[in-house]
Structure formats: C-alpha cells, structure tokens
Amino acid sequence: MQEMSLPYTRDLLLIGGGHSHALVLRMWGMSDLPGARVTVVNPEPTAPYSGMLPGHLAGHYDRRALDIDLVQLGRFAGARVVVGRVIGLDTEARVARLEDGRRIAFDVASIDVGVTSDMPTLPGFAEHAVPAKPLGPFASAWARFLEDSGPAKVAVIGGGVAGAEISLAMAHALALQGRPAEVHLVERDRALSGLPPRSATHLRAALARMGVTVHEDTDVQKITENAVRIGDQVLEADFVCGAAGARPQEWFGDTGLNLQNGFVAVGPTLESSVTGIFATGDCAHMTASPRPKAGVYAVRQAPVLLHNLRQRLSGKDGLKTYRPQRDYLKLISLGEKAALGDRFGMTFQGKWAWRWKDHIDRSFMNRFRDLPTMTQPALPQAHADGLADLLAGKPLCGGCGAKVGQEALMAALAETGGTALPGDDAAVLTVGAERMVLSTDHLREIVRDPEVMTRLAAHHALGDIWAMGAEPLSATANIVLPQMASRLAGRTLREVMSAAHEVMAEAGTTIVGGHTSQGAEMTIGFTILGRAHDTPITLDGARPGDILVLTKPVGSGLIMAAEMQGLAEGDWVAGALRHMTRSQGAASRLLRVAHAMTDVTGFGLAGHLRNICLNSAVGAELWLDDVPLLDGALELAGTDLRASLFAENRALVPDAPAGPRADLLFDPQTAGGLLAAVPEAELDVLDRLRDAGYPAAEIGRITDRVGQISIV
C-alpha cells in the first residue's frame, strides 16, 4: 500500500526568526512532530546573525554571510514562512495580528523578535538616524552610506560594547575606502562600564588607534540632517547610529502577558504567564535568573525550547528547565581582523582571537547552510517502466510547472473534436448585446502559505481575463485543502477566503460562490466571468511590424522549483512572489491598444509567443538580452535545475539557441506578465506602463515569416 500522509491537528506559531527559532527550525527538520503544522513569521525572508554584524560593517563579510535564510530553513523544516511583521497578539483567542492586516491563529506559540535600539523620544532620531537593532535594516543603511564618496562623518550613540564594536567597524571600513573620516562615540555615562577594567582599557586603546573620538558623560539633545547636538557642542554627522541599550517591542504591552520592564517575563521553562506561549532571546526576561541581552543565551535556549514546544503540542507536561551559564566568552571585534576576548575576568587580544571568533561564527552559520539534501523517496525494487525517468530525482513542480505540456494538450484536444491550434486565454461569449469572456484555472501547491497560494491562484486566473482586454465581473472559488482537523481547516479556509476576497475586490469583482473539499494537497482555483468593453483582444490579431511588450520579468518557474528543493535564496523567492502577486489590471487597460495579447504562464515566454504567431499566421523576432529576468533566475539557470515543464516547452522551438538566458524563455511562469503585440505608433504605452509601476520592456517585434520565431 502507498504511504499515507498524516493530517495536521495542531498549529505552532514562531513569531520572529531569531537565533533560538532558527535552531528550532533546523532541529524540527531533522525530527518533526507528526500532526503539528509550523508557521514562522518574520519581517524579512532572512534573519541576520548578530555575531557577524561588526565583521560585515567592517567589510570582512558580505551580506549573504551575515544572513540566515529562513525560506530555505523553512522548506527544510516543512514550515510555512510568512514575510510580515507581528504587531499584536490575542492570547485568549490565540491569534497573531500582522501589520498587513493578516490574522494567524495558533495553538502553541513562541516569541523571538529581538529588541530595538530605536530612540523615539530623542528629537530628530526617527528622521535622521538609524537604530543598530533590528540588524537587517541597519546593515542595509550602512551599505548605502558606503556607496558615497568623499569625507565621512559618523556618530554612534551608546558607549557600550555594541557601540564600540560598531564604531571600530565603521572606522575600519571607511579607512579601507581611503575616505577621510571622523567617527564619534557618544555615551551619556561612563563608556564601556559593563566590561572589567582591564578589558575596557584595551578596548579604549583600540578606539584611540582607529581614530574614534569618545564623548562621555554627555547627553544627546537633538539630531539634525547633518549633525548631532551634545551639550553646547555640535558634531557634524552624515550617518548617525543608535546603539544605546535595548528596548522591547511596543506591542507586548497589549498582549496581557506578564512583562518585566516591557520584556516578556518567562520562567525557567521559557514559558510566559500564559500556558503554551513561550519567549526566548533578547525579547524575553528570565525572571529566575536574569542575564544581559546576549545571543549566546538564545543559542543555548533552543534545545530546551524545542522540547517544551513539542510537549505542549502533544498535550503533555514535563517541561525542561533552562539553566543559563554564569558567564560566557565575549569576543569583541576590533575593526580590523583582530579581537578582544574576555571571560571570568581574563583578557586577551590579537589576530588569533579574531580567527577563533571567525571560526565560531562561521561554524554557527554553516549549521543553516549545510542542511541535509531533500530527496525523493526511494523507488520500490519493483515498479512500472518509465517511473524512474519521470521522477528524475526531483519533485514535481507546483504552480504552472505542473501543467500538461502543450504538445500533449493540443493532440488530445484535436482528437476529441477541438482545434489543433492553441486557444485563446478565455472563451468569448455573446450575451444579448454584450461580449463576455469566461475562464477557469487552478494551481497545485507551490508555496506552503495558504494566503500567498490564494493570491497567486487569483492573480493567475485573472490574467486570462485581463489578457483579453476585459474586466472581471464575477468569480467562483474551488478550494482543495490537505486533510487536517476541522478546527485547522476552518482557520485555513478563513485565510484563503480573506485573501481571495481582497484580490477580487482590488480587481473590481466579487466571489459569488464556490466549492471546498479535502484532498492530498492544497489546490486553489477560480472560475471568472468578465466583460469586454470592446472586441476582445485575442491571439489572432498580431501584424508584422508590431512591437512585443512584456509587463513582468520571467524566471518564476525556475525560482519556485529551486525553492521546493531548498535551493533558492530567500530574497529571490520573496522578490518572485512580489512580482507574481502584482495585479495586471491596470496594465491590461493600458494595453487595449494591442493587436494581440496573452498572459505568460505554463508554456513559457517563447511558447506563448509561438501561440500568437500560430494563430495570427505571423513570425516573431525575440531580443534575448532585452527580456527582463527575476533576481536569481540567471544564477539558477546556470545550474542543471529546471522546472518540470521546461523540457517539453523547449522542444516546441528546437532551433532556439543554447545557454542559461535562452533557457529562461521556456521556463513555465505562474501568474506571469502580459505579452502584447502593440502597433509601433502606440509604443508610448511603454512609458505609461512604467509610470504605473510595471517593469515593462520592449522585447522584440512581429515579422512576416509565418510560424518562425527568431531569437537574437
């Protein structure tokens, strides 16, 4: 008998992608809890590692070295990753509220959102400074500052260890650029007071060597566009960083959880005052054994947290206790590749200490990069002929990559009374005096997030209506959910329908009905009826001389195929999803001047252009270098990885040139852009599309060489 997948019965929500949660996800991927569905919510698809931040600021590490890729980690753990920011938590209803309006229900939750060093009461800080925490936005702001040239004036507010490390790193980075620089470190009390005197003396000497000016016992009164006012003195500053202390997230105050100075109070088991809700890392206050805010505690909390989460999800007691160490090894970056070490009052420094720190940091990050490879289940010894070739060592793609190839589709239609030519995007109906268009489409799961899946499927289905130059009038939904407990099915369906109604409302239509069922995997589809304001735009109107216009970059099939195998970078996936869920409604209205139009989906850009050529009895010239690509697509195309439908798509144009860029013309797209054959006299539509925010491009022209596509 075939192995049956087990249904979900409990929801675990991880709020934040901090060090503890990253380690929990890795351990979960090695041994999950059957029946538990995991969701992690983080503002970005990556989470920066604090230990390598000073080295990154100094120029020793690139940004990729700094970031834990939560998308890859989530795929490995079997978790859905929601890119969003939690701003509220209803502990009674067990619902998290996100900044974008989403609501995610849970049974058990953990909070690991770190802290902020924002200074909301300091005049001018919000407008002219950047807090050192959260780390991601701070690192990005510093990278932008380094793109400038000329003299640099920098001020760091906060004279603790973090402020000193940041000051030294910035001074070193500016020295490497050869830019004249002034770096100021400002502390309202005694700088480096948290260190033993011997370590503080060594660190002060390092600051002096790097030319960092330390201002102590000095309050910052105001920050302006180019200066920091301290007492009667004004420090010129083009870049101001706040590194003074750590503030908790403001939304904690409305949760009903017990707090300590604004941080979530947790007991020895890391559980908060509400059963089943945990907190860890810098955002938590350990009431039984208070410790300073340091990532080393979060790392060591992870195994205890994992055990206790599993116990609560299993409905069991027997939680473990976390016992923090009395002291920990502090390795402080000194700007250049040297470090200062401190533990139990012993102090040491040198380049060898940096190498030690570098080894520790890289070893930690490698735990999230050297993930076990996900493989297909082993084939039984006895199996039908052709099964091994079909699987070819990779999972079937989701989205349009899972669709039937064009050759098989056209052959089947021809044999059953249809046409041998590919049809238009939607059926054209005449109802009284009106011209209507009708289309239905669905997608099998391409991402684990039901809300994102719904947006993809809705925009994908709407694309058929917009490709005809029509406006959607009404829609029905067809939802297949994986088997799960009825309570979780209700939660999931609420997320699905909330997203569906939002997308359809944005498109100017409503959902008037539909059907739901449970099956082997999530599948979401929509049937949409639209109204054509004039003659619908079809595949058969293209004329020689028309310009080919594309409204979205290509490469989504390859990126999502890579994501399914844990091989795509999180930033690439997030970028692809942003393009895939971008409405094409406004683009469709602007492109009503087109002679022919289609949306680029499963058959790839070249395949859909071929459809226009076959129906219009024309040819086309496609300008390869002008075709816009999604970030990461070309890098992935340089590997052996391809989406499931790629080979069949490429076979349709056998004389196409070889190479990664050309291969992307045959990549099956999900919710792709509109491809329009526009009269040359109407080419100013490109400017209007770009003004509307579309990355539209002129990618070729229609020729009179019937049936021939020339890729140049």
Side-chain angles (χ1 to χ4, degrees), residues 77 242 245 314 330 343 365 370 373 405 453 465 511 520 664-665 705:
S314 303
K330 305 175 189 68
R343 190 173 189 186
M365 292 298 289
D370 300 335
T373 303
M453 262 303 303
I465 305 300
I511 297 175
L664 288 168
L665 301 179
R705 302 175 66 185

Side-chain angles (χ1 to χ4, degrees), residues 149-468:
S149 58
K153 300 179 187 298
V154 174
V156 178
I157 304 172
V161 171
E165 275 193 300
I166 289 170
S167 300
L168 289 165
M170 290 176 167
H172 181 75
L174 294 169
L176 284 179
Q177 287 189 331
R179 294 170 63 180
E182 295 179 12
V183 179
H184 299 272
L185 179 62
V186 183
E187 169 58 38
R188 65 184 306 173
D189 297 313
R190 177 72 173 168
L192 306 176
S193 58
L195 284 176
R198 181 178 174 83
S199 295
T201 298
H202 284 292
L203 195 49
R204 284 177 180 276
L207 290 165
R209 284 195 305 273
M210 294 298 296
V212 177
T213 303
V214 180
H215 306 264
E216 299 180 272
D217 301 315
T218 305
D219 277 326
V220 177
Q221 297 177 342
K222 184 179 181 181
I223 299 174
T224 62
E225 184 177 1
N226 300 112
V228 175
R229 181 176 292 278
I230 56 171
D232 296 330
Q233 189 177 2
V234 175
L235 303 177
E236 293 184 9
D238 307 310
F239 187 92
V240 181
C241 160
R247 293 178 54 250
Q249 305 288 334
E250 292 185 1
W251 59 267
F252 290 172
D254 297 324
T255 60
L257 299 171
N258 288 349
L259 306 178
Q260 178 70 35
N261 297 325
F263 299 96
V264 179
V266 298
T269 63
L270 306 178
E271 196 167 37
S272 72
S273 56
V274 175
T275 300
I277 298 180
F278 296 78
T280 181
D282 288 352
C283 70
H285 174 80
M286 295 179 285
T287 56
S289 51
R291 291 292 190 277
K293 304 299 181 186
V296 65
Y297 297 115
V299 170
R300 297 197 179 188
Q301 286 170 346
V304 173
L305 177 65
L306 175 66
H307 176 271
N308 293 346
L309 290 172
R310 292 172 67 100
Q311 291 296 98
R312 287 297 187 224
L313 289 164
S314 303
K316 299 177 182 178
D317 293 321
L319 305 189
K320 287 186 177 180
T321 296
Y322 168 68
R323 295 180 175 85
Q325 63 270 43
R326 290 188 299 110
D327 193 11
Y328 64 95
L329 174 65
K330 305 175 189 68
L331 288 170
I332 303 167
S333 296
L334 299 178
E336 56 187 353
K337 289 186 177 181
L340 173 70
D342 179 275
R343 190 173 189 186
F344 296 128
M346 296 178 58
T347 301
F348 50 88
Q349 66 174 331
K351 293 182 178 180
W352 67 270
W354 163 265
R355 290 192 293 270
W356 187 14
K357 174 177 169 55
D358 178 64
H359 172 74
I360 292 172
D361 290 338
R362 289 183 185 272
S363 297
F364 177 76
M365 292 298 289
N366 285 341
R367 299 169 73 175
F368 305 108
R369 297 193 175 111
D370 300 335
L371 298 172
T373 303
M374 292 180 286
T375 59
Q376 289 278 76
L379 283 174
Q381 185 174 1
H383 60 268
D385 185 35
L387 182 58
D389 294 334
L390 181 62
L391 293 178
K394 66 178 182 180
L396 176 66
C397 290
C400 272
K403 295 203 170 186
V404 175
Q406 191 175 72
E407 188 173 351
L409 179 62
M410 293 300 103
L413 290 175
E415 290 175 10
T416 54
T419 174
L421 286 178
D424 281 307
D425 295 282
V428 180
L429 310 173
T430 300
V431 182
E434 290 194 297
R435 304 293 295 278
M436 313 295 287
V437 294
L438 177 68
S439 181
T440 186
D441 214 331
H442 69 275
L443 299 175
R444 70 179 288 268
E445 182 177 281
I446 190 172
V447 291
R448 287 196 171 95
D449 187 348
E451 198 260 3
V452 174
M453 262 303 303
T454 304
R455 292 182 182 276
L456 288 173
H459 283 290
H460 182 74
L462 285 164
D464 288 341
I465 305 300
W466 285 324
M468 305 286 283

Side-chain angles (χ1 to χ4, degrees), residues 49-71:
Y49 169 49
S50 59
M52 297 178 81
L53 176 67
H56 169 67
L57 298 177
H60 306 317
Y61 305 118
D62 63 20
R63 182 59 190 268
R64 289 184 180 182
L66 180 69
D67 287 337
I68 298 171
D69 195 315
L70 295 176
V71 173

Side-chain angles (χ1 to χ4, degrees), residues 653-677:
V653 188
D655 57 348
R661 183 176 285 273
D663 281 355
L664 288 168
L665 301 179
F666 306 94
D667 185 48
Q669 306 299 286
T670 300
L674 297 174
L675 174 64

